[in-house]
Amino acid sequence: MNTNTNIAPTANFDVEKIREDFPILQTTVHGRPLVYLDNGATAQKPLAVINSMVEYYKGYNSNVHRGVHYLSQKATDAHEAAREGVRAFINAEHTHEIIFTRGTTESINIVAHSFGKAFVNAGDEIIITAMEHHSNIVPWQMLCEERGAILRVIPINANGELILEEYDKLLNERTKLVALVHVSNTLGTVNPVNDIIAKAHVVGAAVLIDGAQSIQHMAVDVQAMDADFFVFSGHKLFGPTGIGVLYGKDKYLNAMPPYQGGGSMIKQVTLEKTTYNELPFKFEAGTPHVEGIIGLGAAIDYINAIGIDNIAAYEHELVAYAVEQLSTIEGLRFIGNAKERVSVLSFLAGDIHPYDIGVILDKLGIAVRTGHHCCQPIMDIFSIPGTVRASFAFYNTKAEVDALVAGLLKAKQMLS
Ligand code: 7TS
Protein backbone atom coordinates (compact mmCIF):
# COMPACT_ATOMS: atom_id res chain seq x y z
CA MET A 1 0.00 0.00 0.00
CA ASN A 2 2.77 2.39 0.70
CA THR A 3 6.15 2.41 -0.93
CA ASN A 4 8.01 1.78 2.31
CA THR A 5 6.34 -1.48 3.26
CA ASN A 6 9.56 -3.25 4.09
CA ILE A 7 10.57 -0.85 6.86
CA ALA A 8 9.33 -1.35 10.40
CA PRO A 9 9.34 1.66 12.74
CA THR A 10 12.34 1.60 15.04
CA ALA A 11 11.78 0.67 18.65
CA ASN A 12 12.31 4.28 19.76
CA PHE A 13 9.29 5.56 17.78
CA ASP A 14 7.06 6.31 20.75
CA VAL A 15 3.80 7.84 19.58
CA GLU A 16 2.66 8.84 23.09
CA LYS A 17 5.90 10.71 23.64
CA ILE A 18 5.62 12.36 20.23
CA ARG A 19 2.09 13.51 21.05
CA GLU A 20 3.44 15.44 24.04
CA ASP A 21 5.32 17.67 21.58
CA PHE A 22 2.01 18.92 20.13
CA PRO A 23 0.13 21.15 22.60
CA ILE A 24 -3.11 21.09 20.60
CA LEU A 25 -3.33 17.31 20.90
CA GLN A 26 -3.82 17.73 24.66
CA THR A 27 -6.94 19.87 24.18
CA THR A 28 -10.61 18.93 24.19
CA VAL A 29 -13.39 19.77 21.72
CA HIS A 30 -17.02 19.78 22.91
CA GLY A 31 -15.72 18.25 26.14
CA ARG A 32 -14.03 15.32 24.38
CA PRO A 33 -10.34 14.71 23.70
CA LEU A 34 -9.50 16.07 20.27
CA VAL A 35 -9.11 13.39 17.60
CA TYR A 36 -7.51 15.29 14.76
CA LEU A 37 -7.90 13.47 11.45
CA ASP A 38 -7.79 16.46 9.09
CA ASN A 39 -4.06 16.47 8.51
CA GLY A 40 -4.50 16.67 4.76
CA ALA A 41 -5.96 20.16 5.20
CA THR A 42 -3.28 21.28 7.62
CA ALA A 43 -1.07 19.51 10.14
CA GLN A 44 -0.59 20.43 13.79
CA LYS A 45 2.60 22.11 14.99
CA PRO A 46 5.10 20.81 17.52
CA LEU A 47 6.38 23.13 20.24
CA ALA A 48 9.77 23.22 18.53
CA VAL A 49 8.15 24.99 15.55
CA ILE A 50 6.04 27.35 17.67
CA ASN A 51 9.04 28.25 19.85
CA SER A 52 11.33 28.87 16.89
CA MET A 53 9.04 31.65 15.74
CA VAL A 54 8.53 33.10 19.22
CA GLU A 55 12.31 33.17 19.68
CA TYR A 56 12.73 34.98 16.38
CA TYR A 57 10.29 37.71 17.40
CA LYS A 58 11.63 37.96 20.94
CA GLY A 59 15.31 37.77 20.15
CA TYR A 60 16.27 38.70 16.60
CA ASN A 61 13.32 40.11 14.66
CA SER A 62 14.81 41.90 11.68
CA ASN A 63 14.62 42.08 7.92
CA VAL A 64 16.92 39.75 5.98
CA HIS A 65 19.58 40.26 3.32
CA ARG A 66 19.59 43.98 3.96
CA GLY A 67 21.31 45.01 7.14
CA VAL A 68 24.92 44.90 8.26
CA HIS A 69 23.71 44.95 11.85
CA TYR A 70 23.75 41.97 14.20
CA LEU A 71 20.00 41.24 14.19
CA SER A 72 19.71 41.31 10.43
CA GLN A 73 22.66 39.01 10.01
CA LYS A 74 21.32 36.59 12.58
CA ALA A 75 17.90 36.53 10.88
CA THR A 76 19.56 36.11 7.47
CA ASP A 77 21.67 33.21 8.75
CA ALA A 78 18.58 31.46 10.18
CA HIS A 79 16.67 32.11 6.95
CA GLU A 80 19.41 30.67 4.76
CA ALA A 81 19.98 27.74 7.13
CA ALA A 82 16.30 26.87 6.62
CA ARG A 83 16.81 26.97 2.85
CA GLU A 84 19.72 24.55 3.19
CA GLY A 85 17.53 22.37 5.45
CA VAL A 86 14.88 22.20 2.72
CA ARG A 87 17.54 21.39 0.10
CA ALA A 88 18.87 18.49 2.14
CA PHE A 89 15.35 17.26 3.01
CA ILE A 90 14.41 16.80 -0.66
CA ASN A 91 18.00 16.16 -1.81
CA ALA A 92 18.11 18.99 -4.34
CA GLU A 93 21.51 19.47 -5.94
CA HIS A 94 21.79 23.20 -5.19
CA THR A 95 20.51 25.44 -2.38
CA HIS A 96 19.70 28.14 -4.94
CA GLU A 97 17.13 25.79 -6.50
CA ILE A 98 14.94 26.27 -3.38
CA ILE A 99 12.54 29.21 -3.78
CA PHE A 100 10.39 30.25 -0.82
CA THR A 101 6.77 30.94 -1.73
CA ARG A 102 3.45 31.27 0.11
CA GLY A 103 2.62 27.61 -0.45
CA THR A 104 1.86 24.95 -3.03
CA THR A 105 -0.70 27.14 -4.76
CA GLU A 106 1.69 30.03 -5.25
CA SER A 107 4.50 27.69 -6.31
CA ILE A 108 2.34 26.23 -9.09
CA ASN A 109 1.21 29.69 -10.17
CA ILE A 110 4.82 30.86 -10.44
CA VAL A 111 5.66 27.96 -12.72
CA ALA A 112 2.51 28.43 -14.80
CA HIS A 113 3.30 32.12 -15.21
CA SER A 114 7.07 32.06 -15.71
CA PHE A 115 7.64 28.69 -17.37
CA GLY A 116 4.56 29.45 -19.45
CA LYS A 117 5.99 32.75 -20.64
CA ALA A 118 9.33 31.22 -21.53
CA PHE A 119 8.32 27.88 -22.99
CA VAL A 120 4.59 27.58 -23.86
CA ASN A 121 3.25 28.81 -27.20
CA ALA A 122 0.10 28.42 -29.28
CA GLY A 123 -0.58 24.78 -30.13
CA ASP A 124 1.66 23.44 -27.34
CA GLU A 125 0.21 20.94 -24.90
CA ILE A 126 0.18 20.60 -21.13
CA ILE A 127 -0.80 17.35 -19.43
CA ILE A 128 -2.45 17.11 -16.01
CA THR A 129 -4.46 14.29 -14.42
CA ALA A 130 -8.10 13.87 -13.43
CA MET A 131 -7.12 13.63 -9.74
CA GLU A 132 -5.54 17.07 -9.34
CA HIS A 133 -6.36 19.57 -6.61
CA HIS A 134 -7.92 22.72 -8.11
CA SER A 135 -4.62 24.50 -7.60
CA ASN A 136 -3.01 22.17 -10.14
CA ILE A 137 -5.85 22.59 -12.65
CA VAL A 138 -6.87 26.23 -12.73
CA PRO A 139 -3.43 27.84 -13.29
CA TRP A 140 -2.91 25.55 -16.33
CA GLN A 141 -6.36 26.38 -17.70
CA MET A 142 -5.54 30.07 -17.32
CA LEU A 143 -2.17 29.60 -19.04
CA CYS A 144 -3.66 27.59 -21.90
CA GLU A 145 -6.30 30.24 -22.46
CA GLU A 146 -3.69 32.98 -22.47
CA ARG A 147 -1.19 31.22 -24.76
CA GLY A 148 -3.55 29.27 -27.02
CA ALA A 149 -2.15 26.01 -25.65
CA ILE A 150 -4.11 22.79 -25.12
CA LEU A 151 -4.75 21.04 -21.80
CA ARG A 152 -4.77 17.22 -21.88
CA VAL A 153 -5.91 15.06 -18.96
CA ILE A 154 -4.79 11.56 -17.90
CA PRO A 155 -7.97 9.74 -16.79
CA ILE A 156 -8.32 7.54 -13.68
CA ASN A 157 -9.87 4.10 -13.18
CA ALA A 158 -12.51 3.02 -10.65
CA ASN A 159 -9.83 2.39 -8.00
CA GLY A 160 -8.61 5.96 -8.34
CA GLU A 161 -5.38 5.10 -10.18
CA LEU A 162 -4.02 6.80 -13.29
CA ILE A 163 -4.62 4.96 -16.57
CA LEU A 164 -1.05 5.05 -17.76
CA GLU A 165 -1.72 3.67 -21.24
CA GLU A 166 -3.70 6.86 -21.84
CA TYR A 167 -0.72 8.92 -20.67
CA ASP A 168 1.46 7.17 -23.26
CA LYS A 169 -1.03 8.17 -25.93
CA LEU A 170 -1.19 11.82 -24.80
CA LEU A 171 2.57 12.41 -24.79
CA ASN A 172 4.06 13.85 -27.96
CA GLU A 173 6.60 16.42 -29.14
CA ARG A 174 4.11 19.26 -28.51
CA THR A 175 3.92 18.36 -24.79
CA LYS A 176 5.77 21.11 -22.92
CA LEU A 177 4.90 20.26 -19.35
CA VAL A 178 3.31 17.47 -17.32
CA ALA A 179 1.92 18.58 -13.94
CA LEU A 180 0.66 15.99 -11.51
CA VAL A 181 0.08 15.20 -7.90
CA HIS A 182 2.47 12.82 -6.10
CA VAL A 183 -0.18 11.72 -3.57
CA SER A 184 -3.87 12.53 -4.11
CA ASN A 185 -5.39 14.54 -1.26
CA THR A 186 -8.77 12.90 -1.92
CA LEU A 187 -7.96 9.32 -2.94
CA GLY A 188 -4.64 8.78 -1.15
CA THR A 189 -3.25 7.30 -4.39
CA VAL A 190 0.55 7.40 -4.73
CA ASN A 191 1.35 8.02 -8.37
CA PRO A 192 4.32 6.32 -10.08
CA VAL A 193 6.06 9.64 -10.62
CA ASN A 194 9.49 8.21 -11.53
CA ASP A 195 8.10 6.44 -14.60
CA ILE A 196 5.87 9.35 -15.54
CA ILE A 197 8.82 11.76 -15.38
CA ALA A 198 11.12 9.47 -17.38
CA LYS A 199 8.54 9.16 -20.15
CA ALA A 200 7.97 12.94 -20.28
CA HIS A 201 11.70 13.52 -20.61
CA VAL A 202 11.83 11.29 -23.68
CA VAL A 203 9.68 13.86 -25.55
CA GLY A 204 11.54 16.79 -23.95
CA ALA A 205 8.71 17.87 -21.62
CA ALA A 206 9.34 19.22 -18.11
CA VAL A 207 7.47 17.74 -15.12
CA LEU A 208 6.04 19.48 -12.07
CA ILE A 209 5.22 17.28 -9.09
CA ASP A 210 2.69 18.56 -6.56
CA GLY A 211 4.13 17.18 -3.33
CA ALA A 212 1.61 18.83 -0.98
CA GLN A 213 0.45 15.41 0.29
CA SER A 214 3.63 13.36 -0.10
CA ILE A 215 6.37 15.39 1.56
CA GLN A 216 5.05 14.67 5.09
CA HIS A 217 4.59 10.93 4.52
CA MET A 218 7.60 9.59 2.62
CA ALA A 219 11.23 10.29 1.76
CA VAL A 220 11.44 12.54 -1.30
CA ASP A 221 14.57 12.73 -3.44
CA VAL A 222 14.03 15.16 -6.30
CA GLN A 223 17.24 14.10 -8.04
CA ALA A 224 16.44 10.38 -7.94
CA MET A 225 12.91 11.23 -9.12
CA ASP A 226 14.40 13.60 -11.72
CA ALA A 227 11.54 16.09 -11.15
CA ASP A 228 12.01 19.42 -12.90
CA PHE A 229 9.78 21.15 -10.35
CA PHE A 230 8.59 19.91 -6.95
CA VAL A 231 6.25 22.02 -4.81
CA PHE A 232 4.82 21.80 -1.31
CA SER A 233 3.34 23.79 1.59
CA GLY A 234 4.94 24.30 4.99
CA HIS A 235 1.68 24.07 6.91
CA LYS A 236 1.01 20.46 5.88
CA LEU A 237 4.56 19.58 6.96
CA PHE A 238 4.00 20.61 10.60
CA GLY A 239 5.32 24.12 9.86
CA PRO A 240 3.50 27.46 9.76
CA THR A 241 0.99 28.70 7.21
CA GLY A 242 1.95 31.20 4.55
CA ILE A 243 5.20 29.50 3.61
CA GLY A 244 5.92 26.97 0.91
CA VAL A 245 8.58 25.77 -1.45
CA LEU A 246 9.18 25.75 -5.16
CA TYR A 247 12.06 23.49 -6.10
CA GLY A 248 13.14 23.87 -9.71
CA LYS A 249 16.15 22.65 -11.65
CA ASP A 250 18.37 25.64 -12.17
CA LYS A 251 18.45 25.07 -15.94
CA TYR A 252 14.72 25.92 -15.95
CA LEU A 253 14.67 28.58 -13.23
CA ASN A 254 17.51 30.45 -14.94
CA ALA A 255 15.63 30.43 -18.24
CA MET A 256 12.36 31.66 -16.72
CA PRO A 257 11.45 35.34 -16.24
CA PRO A 258 10.71 36.64 -12.71
CA TYR A 259 7.17 36.31 -11.40
CA GLN A 260 7.04 39.58 -9.48
CA GLY A 261 9.15 42.72 -9.58
CA GLY A 262 10.34 44.56 -6.47
CA GLY A 263 13.06 44.65 -3.86
CA SER A 264 15.53 41.75 -3.47
CA MET A 265 14.91 40.31 -6.94
CA ILE A 266 17.10 42.90 -8.64
CA LYS A 267 20.81 43.26 -9.31
CA GLN A 268 20.68 46.85 -10.53
CA VAL A 269 17.85 49.29 -11.16
CA THR A 270 17.97 52.46 -13.21
CA LEU A 271 14.90 54.37 -14.22
CA GLU A 272 15.33 52.91 -17.70
CA LYS A 273 16.21 49.29 -17.06
CA THR A 274 16.59 46.63 -14.39
CA THR A 275 18.84 43.60 -14.28
CA TYR A 276 17.67 40.69 -12.19
CA ASN A 277 19.27 39.02 -9.23
CA GLU A 278 20.57 35.46 -9.25
CA LEU A 279 18.67 32.44 -8.00
CA PRO A 280 16.94 32.03 -5.66
CA PHE A 281 16.37 35.76 -5.13
CA LYS A 282 15.15 36.38 -8.70
CA PHE A 283 11.89 34.72 -7.63
CA GLU A 284 11.67 36.22 -4.13
CA ALA A 285 10.56 39.84 -4.51
CA GLY A 286 9.94 41.83 -1.34
CA THR A 287 10.40 41.07 2.34
CA PRO A 288 10.00 37.33 2.79
CA HIS A 289 7.93 35.50 5.42
CA VAL A 290 10.95 35.35 7.72
CA GLU A 291 9.31 33.71 10.74
CA GLY A 292 7.53 31.27 8.43
CA ILE A 293 10.82 30.22 6.88
CA ILE A 294 12.40 29.83 10.31
CA GLY A 295 9.37 27.79 11.45
CA LEU A 296 9.57 25.58 8.36
CA GLY A 297 13.26 25.00 9.05
CA ALA A 298 12.39 23.96 12.61
CA ALA A 299 9.67 21.61 11.31
CA ILE A 300 12.17 19.88 9.03
CA ASP A 301 14.68 19.57 11.88
CA TYR A 302 11.91 18.04 14.01
CA ILE A 303 10.98 15.50 11.33
CA ASN A 304 14.62 14.63 10.71
CA ALA A 305 15.05 13.89 14.42
CA ILE A 306 12.23 11.32 14.22
CA GLY A 307 13.20 10.10 10.76
CA ILE A 308 10.91 10.25 7.73
CA ASP A 309 11.33 6.50 7.15
CA ASN A 310 10.13 5.82 10.71
CA ILE A 311 7.15 8.09 10.05
CA ALA A 312 6.35 6.28 6.78
CA ALA A 313 6.56 2.86 8.40
CA TYR A 314 4.41 3.86 11.39
CA GLU A 315 1.77 5.44 9.18
CA HIS A 316 1.71 2.43 6.91
CA GLU A 317 0.74 0.26 9.85
CA LEU A 318 -1.78 2.81 11.15
CA VAL A 319 -3.54 3.26 7.82
CA ALA A 320 -3.66 -0.51 7.21
CA TYR A 321 -5.36 -0.81 10.60
CA ALA A 322 -7.79 1.99 9.71
CA VAL A 323 -8.71 0.33 6.39
CA GLU A 324 -9.29 -2.96 8.20
CA GLN A 325 -11.44 -1.42 10.94
CA LEU A 326 -13.47 0.87 8.67
CA SER A 327 -14.15 -2.08 6.38
CA THR A 328 -16.11 -3.74 9.19
CA ILE A 329 -18.75 -1.00 8.98
CA GLU A 330 -21.69 -2.16 6.93
CA GLY A 331 -22.42 0.01 3.92
CA LEU A 332 -19.10 1.84 4.08
CA ARG A 333 -17.57 2.39 0.66
CA PHE A 334 -14.06 3.70 0.05
CA ILE A 335 -13.62 6.22 -2.74
CA GLY A 336 -10.14 5.31 -3.92
CA ASN A 337 -8.74 1.80 -3.54
CA ALA A 338 -5.36 2.22 -5.15
CA LYS A 339 -2.73 -0.46 -4.64
CA GLU A 340 -0.26 2.29 -3.69
CA ARG A 341 -1.94 4.49 -1.11
CA VAL A 342 -0.91 6.55 1.93
CA SER A 343 -2.52 8.33 4.83
CA VAL A 344 -5.74 9.56 3.22
CA LEU A 345 -8.98 7.58 3.41
CA SER A 346 -12.07 8.88 1.64
CA PHE A 347 -15.36 7.10 2.10
CA LEU A 348 -19.14 7.24 2.14
CA ALA A 349 -21.50 5.47 4.53
CA GLY A 350 -24.61 4.21 2.73
CA ASP A 351 -26.45 7.18 1.29
CA ILE A 352 -25.82 9.49 4.25
CA HIS A 353 -24.57 12.90 3.20
CA PRO A 354 -20.89 13.37 4.17
CA TYR A 355 -21.65 16.73 5.78
CA ASP A 356 -24.09 15.14 8.26
CA ILE A 357 -21.46 12.60 9.28
CA GLY A 358 -18.89 15.38 9.71
CA VAL A 359 -21.20 17.32 12.04
CA ILE A 360 -21.86 14.32 14.29
CA LEU A 361 -18.18 13.37 14.39
CA ASP A 362 -17.36 16.94 15.36
CA LYS A 363 -19.69 16.73 18.35
CA LEU A 364 -17.62 13.73 19.42
CA GLY A 365 -14.39 15.73 19.17
CA ILE A 366 -13.36 14.07 15.90
CA ALA A 367 -12.14 16.39 13.14
CA VAL A 368 -12.50 15.05 9.60
CA ARG A 369 -13.02 16.89 6.38
CA THR A 370 -16.16 16.49 4.29
CA GLY A 371 -16.96 17.73 0.79
CA HIS A 372 -15.11 17.76 -2.51
CA HIS A 373 -11.65 18.54 -1.04
CA CYS A 374 -10.97 21.03 -3.87
CA CYS A 375 -11.14 18.13 -6.34
CA GLN A 376 -14.54 18.62 -7.98
CA PRO A 377 -13.56 16.64 -11.12
CA ILE A 378 -13.03 13.53 -8.96
CA MET A 379 -16.53 13.94 -7.52
CA ASP A 380 -17.92 14.19 -11.06
CA ILE A 381 -16.10 11.02 -12.12
CA PHE A 382 -17.53 9.06 -9.18
CA SER A 383 -20.93 10.86 -9.42
CA ILE A 384 -20.93 11.77 -5.74
CA PRO A 385 -21.43 15.09 -3.92
CA GLY A 386 -18.37 14.62 -1.74
CA THR A 387 -16.74 12.23 0.69
CA VAL A 388 -15.82 11.97 4.35
CA ARG A 389 -12.05 12.12 4.52
CA ALA A 390 -9.86 10.97 7.39
CA SER A 391 -6.24 11.98 6.81
CA PHE A 392 -3.57 10.76 9.20
CA ALA A 393 -0.28 11.98 10.60
CA PHE A 394 2.41 10.18 12.57
CA TYR A 395 0.94 11.43 15.87
CA ASN A 396 -2.37 9.65 15.28
CA THR A 397 -3.02 6.35 17.06
CA LYS A 398 -4.96 3.13 16.68
CA ALA A 399 -7.13 4.29 19.60
CA GLU A 400 -8.11 7.31 17.49
CA VAL A 401 -9.01 5.00 14.61
CA ASP A 402 -11.23 3.11 17.05
CA ALA A 403 -12.84 6.41 18.11
CA LEU A 404 -13.53 7.21 14.46
CA VAL A 405 -15.15 3.82 13.88
CA ALA A 406 -17.30 4.20 17.01
CA GLY A 407 -18.28 7.71 15.90
CA LEU A 408 -19.26 6.49 12.45
CA LEU A 409 -21.40 3.72 13.92
CA LYS A 410 -23.14 6.29 16.10
CA ALA A 411 -23.65 8.62 13.13
CA LYS A 412 -25.09 5.78 11.09
CA GLN A 413 -27.46 4.86 13.87
CA MET A 414 -28.64 8.46 14.25
CA LEU A 415 -28.99 9.22 10.55
CA SER A 416 -30.23 5.98 9.00
N1 7TS B 1 -2.19 20.30 -3.88
C1 7TS B 1 -2.65 19.33 -3.09
C2 7TS B 1 -2.48 17.89 -3.48
C3 7TS B 1 -3.31 19.68 -1.90
O1 7TS B 1 -3.78 18.71 -1.11
C4 7TS B 1 -3.46 21.04 -1.56
C5 7TS B 1 -4.22 21.47 -0.34
C6 7TS B 1 -2.92 22.00 -2.41
C7 7TS B 1 -2.30 21.59 -3.56
C8 7TS B 1 -2.97 23.46 -2.09
O2 7TS B 1 -2.16 23.72 -1.00
P1 7TS B 1 -2.11 25.18 -0.33
O3 7TS B 1 -1.31 24.98 0.90
O4 7TS B 1 -1.47 26.09 -1.32
O5 7TS B 1 -3.54 25.55 -0.06
N2 7TS B 1 -5.18 20.54 0.10
C9 7TS B 1 -6.11 20.72 1.02
C10 7TS B 1 -6.95 19.69 1.44
O6 7TS B 1 -6.89 18.54 1.02
N3 7TS B 1 -7.80 20.16 2.37
O7 7TS B 1 -7.54 21.47 2.56
C11 7TS B 1 -6.50 21.82 1.72
Side-chain angles (χ1 to χ4, degrees):
M1 222 170 72
N2 108 11
T3 41
N4 294 296
T5 47
N6 52 349
I7 313 161
T10 56
N12 59 8
F13 185 94
D14 180 346
V15 70
E16 290 308 328
K17 204 156 175 357
I18 282 169
R19 288 176 68 83
E20 289 170 14
D21 295 336
F22 292 81
I24 211 167
L25 299 180
Q26 326 310 324
T27 61
T28 55
V29 168
H30 305 306
R32 308 254 188 160
L34 169 66
V35 175
Y36 187 74
L37 299 177
D38 194 18
N39 295 285
T42 200
Q44 299 303 345
K45 323 301 176 198
L47 260 180
V49 167
I50 299 166
N51 287 344
S52 73
M53 293 184 288
V54 172
E55 278 159 20
Y56 162 70
Y57 279 122
K58 278 179 154 176
Y60 59 105
N61 171 52
S62 179
N63 211 326
V64 291
H65 299 127
R66 290 159 201 238
V68 292
H69 62 81
Y70 173 83
L71 293 184
S72 178
Q73 294 205 350
K74 190 167 173 184
T76 302
D77 288 349
H79 184 272
E80 291 309 313
R83 198 189 306 272
E84 168 54 23
V86 172
R87 185 209 63 74
F89 192 59
I90 62 171
N91 194 34
E93 188 177 359
H94 305 293
T95 312
H96 64 250
E97 293 174 320
I98 306 301
I99 314 289
F100 288 122
T101 66
R102 284 196 298 128
T104 305
T105 301
E106 187 173 60
S107 298
I108 295 171
N109 276 277
I110 291 173
V111 177
H113 175 93
S114 296
F115 179 93
K117 248 188 180 162
F119 294 106
V120 180
N121 295 303
D124 286 343
E125 298 181 5
I126 289 168
I127 298 179
I128 60 170
T129 84
M131 66 168 83
E132 299 308 313
H133 186 278
H134 295 163
S135 63
N136 203 26
I137 301 175
V138 185
W140 307 114
Q141 290 174 336
M142 291 161 74
L143 174 67
C144 286
E145 196 170 333
E146 193 184 300
R147 311 293 286 186
I150 300 151
L151 194 64
R152 305 279 189 210
V153 181
I154 311 171
I156 59 176
N157 65 23
N159 286 330
E161 297 163 316
L162 294 177
I163 305 176
L164 292 170
E165 302 78 59
E166 295 299 322
Y167 173 54
D168 294 341
K169 289 185 211 156
L170 291 176
L171 269 177
N172 64 68
E173 69 287 350
R174 291 184 302 278
T175 311
K176 286 290 153 16
L177 187 112
V178 179
L180 80 153
V181 74
H182 194 181
V183 170
S184 161
N185 68 316
T186 298
L187 306 164
T189 309
V190 184
N191 286 317
V193 288
N194 292 16
D195 291 350
I196 289 171
I197 292 169
K199 282 180 177 168
H201 287 169
V202 172
V203 300
V207 183
L208 177 145
I209 302 297
D210 173 352
Q213 301 289 345
S214 62
I215 191 78
Q216 61 282 58
H217 299 302
M218 60 181 71
V220 166
D221 181 332
V222 292
Q223 291 188 79
M225 195 186 276
D226 207 14
D228 301 293
F229 301 100
F230 187 93
V231 300
F232 62 91
S233 298
H235 70 99
K236 297 186 202 283
L237 186 62
F238 317 100
T241 51
I243 188 69
V245 168
L246 162 60
Y247 158 78
K249 282 184 186 162
D250 66 0
K251 71 169 181 179
Y252 281 116
L253 293 176
N254 276 321
M256 286 158 48
Y259 178 55
Q260 293 184 323
S264 296
M265 54 75 73
I266 55 94
K267 197 169 260 167
Q268 193 156 35
V269 179
T270 67
L271 292 176
E272 290 75 36
K273 186 169 170 54
T274 293
T275 51
Y276 303 132
N277 206 341
E278 287 159 4
L279 295 175
F281 309 110
K282 183 172 103 175
F283 288 101
E284 294 181 347
T287 298
H289 183 16
V290 183
E291 82 274 23
I293 291 166
I294 288 168
L296 175 60
I300 288 175
D301 290 345
Y302 180 83
I303 292 161
N304 284 337
I306 297 172
I308 190 74
D309 288 335
N310 288 332
I311 287 174
Y314 175 79
E315 288 183 7
H316 171 69
E317 212 182 290
L318 182 69
V319 174
Y321 178 75
V323 170
E324 188 188 292
Q325 294 304 308
L326 288 168
S327 301
T328 63
I329 299 176
E330 213 188 299
L332 187 133
R333 166 163 79 106
F334 288 107
I335 305 298
N337 278 300
K339 277 200 253 350
E340 296 288 333
R341 179 161 80 170
V342 288
S343 289
V344 172
L345 297 176
S346 259
F347 53 85
L348 289 169
D351 51 11
I352 306 172
H353 198 282
Y355 177 83
D356 296 334
I357 293 178
V359 169
I360 291 178
L361 291 177
D362 174 60
K363 293 280 178 275
L364 300 169
I366 303 168
V368 293
R369 183 153 176 202
T370 63
H372 56 61
H373 319 298
C374 297
C375 291
Q376 283 183 355
I378 296 181
M379 303 304 135
D380 292 343
I381 290 165
F382 287 94
S383 302
I384 52 176
T387 73
V388 181
R389 182 187 70 177
S391 51
F392 298 89
F394 61 90
Y395 43 64
N396 289 126
T397 64
K398 289 184 178 172
E400 290 181 314
V401 171
D402 295 342
L404 172 67
V405 171
L408 286 168
L409 289 173
K410 184 160 187 181
K412 259 189 72 179
Q413 192 188 24
M414 288 170 71
L415 296 167
S416 293

